[in-house]
Amino acid sequence: MASRIKDASHIKENVGLAPPDQPAAGAYERDFYAWLMEQARHVRDGHWNAIDRENLAEEIESLGREQFNKLESALRVLMLHMLKWDHQPTKRSRSWALSVRTQRLEVEDVLSDNPSLKPRIAEAIARGYRKARVEAAKETGLDEDVFPASCPYDWNEVMGRELSI
């Protein structure tokens, strides 16, 4: 093992940005981390012509989609527990109620960090509900048709309905 470490000692010296003779797009496909560091350096240094514009734009858009997906995911889990609450009243638990509360806080945090997602709340609810419905059927053992095909909850109910045991 020591010989491996000794043999690998050259790696530390060679770690860095993609070789300057290779196009940025090639680095993007070959070593994403190195490409990111290179792009960040170009932005900080104001080397606008060296930026891999197409791939960088794609990655920035991807970051935006991740924020929407976080919102959708929190709403999905929240509505999953609301569906279980509504369709299995004898199995209601403090855990379900606390899960709803936790996901409401997550939704609030995502929207606080990304206020421009507010116009997309209805879309996030609809997408999250489709998945929550399937998961509710799986977790409860009830037929999927037992759950409404479209979301029965509006924003105020999703975020404010009291669930108490």
Side-chain angles (χ1 to χ4, degrees), residues 114-132:
N114 304 281
S116 62
L117 285 175
K118 289 178 182 175
R120 296 187 66 192
I121 287 172
E123 178 187 357
I125 288 174
R127 289 176 60 161
Y129 180 76
R130 281 188 1 240
K131 296 169 189 168

Side-chain angles (χ1 to χ4, degrees), residues 63-132:
L63 290 172
R65 284 189 299 274
E66 283 181 27
Q67 296 309 302
F68 179 81
N69 291 342
K70 282 175 63 173
L71 175 62
E72 179 189 324
S73 178
L75 288 166
R76 176 187 51 78
V77 174
L78 196 163
M79 290 184 289
L80 164 65
H81 288 289
M82 290 179 75
L83 285 169
K84 289 172 20 177
W85 188 272
D86 292 345
H87 290 85
Q88 291 188 312
T90 61
K91 294 187 177 184
R92 290 177 180 169
S93 69
R94 183 172 186 269
S95 173
W96 288 356
L98 290 175
S99 180
V100 167
R101 184 169 177 213
T102 300
Q103 295 309 310
R104 284 177 176 160
L105 292 172
E106 180 66 21
V107 168
E108 289 171 2
D109 288 349
V110 171
L111 291 174
S112 174
D113 292 344
N114 304 281
S116 62
L117 285 175
K118 289 178 182 175
R120 296 187 66 192
I121 287 172
E123 178 187 357
I125 288 174
R127 289 176 60 161
Y129 180 76
R130 281 188 1 240
K131 296 169 189 168

Side-chain angles (χ1 to χ4, degrees), residues 16-47:
L17 303 177
D21 61 332
Q22 296 182 7
Y28 175 78
E29 295 167 4
R30 212 177 32 264
D31 186 343
F32 185 64
Y33 176 79
W35 176 84
L36 284 172
M37 297 302 104
E38 182 178 42
Q39 297 308 301
R41 185 186 52 146
H42 290 324
V43 169
R44 284 190 183 92
D45 294 347
H47 297 150

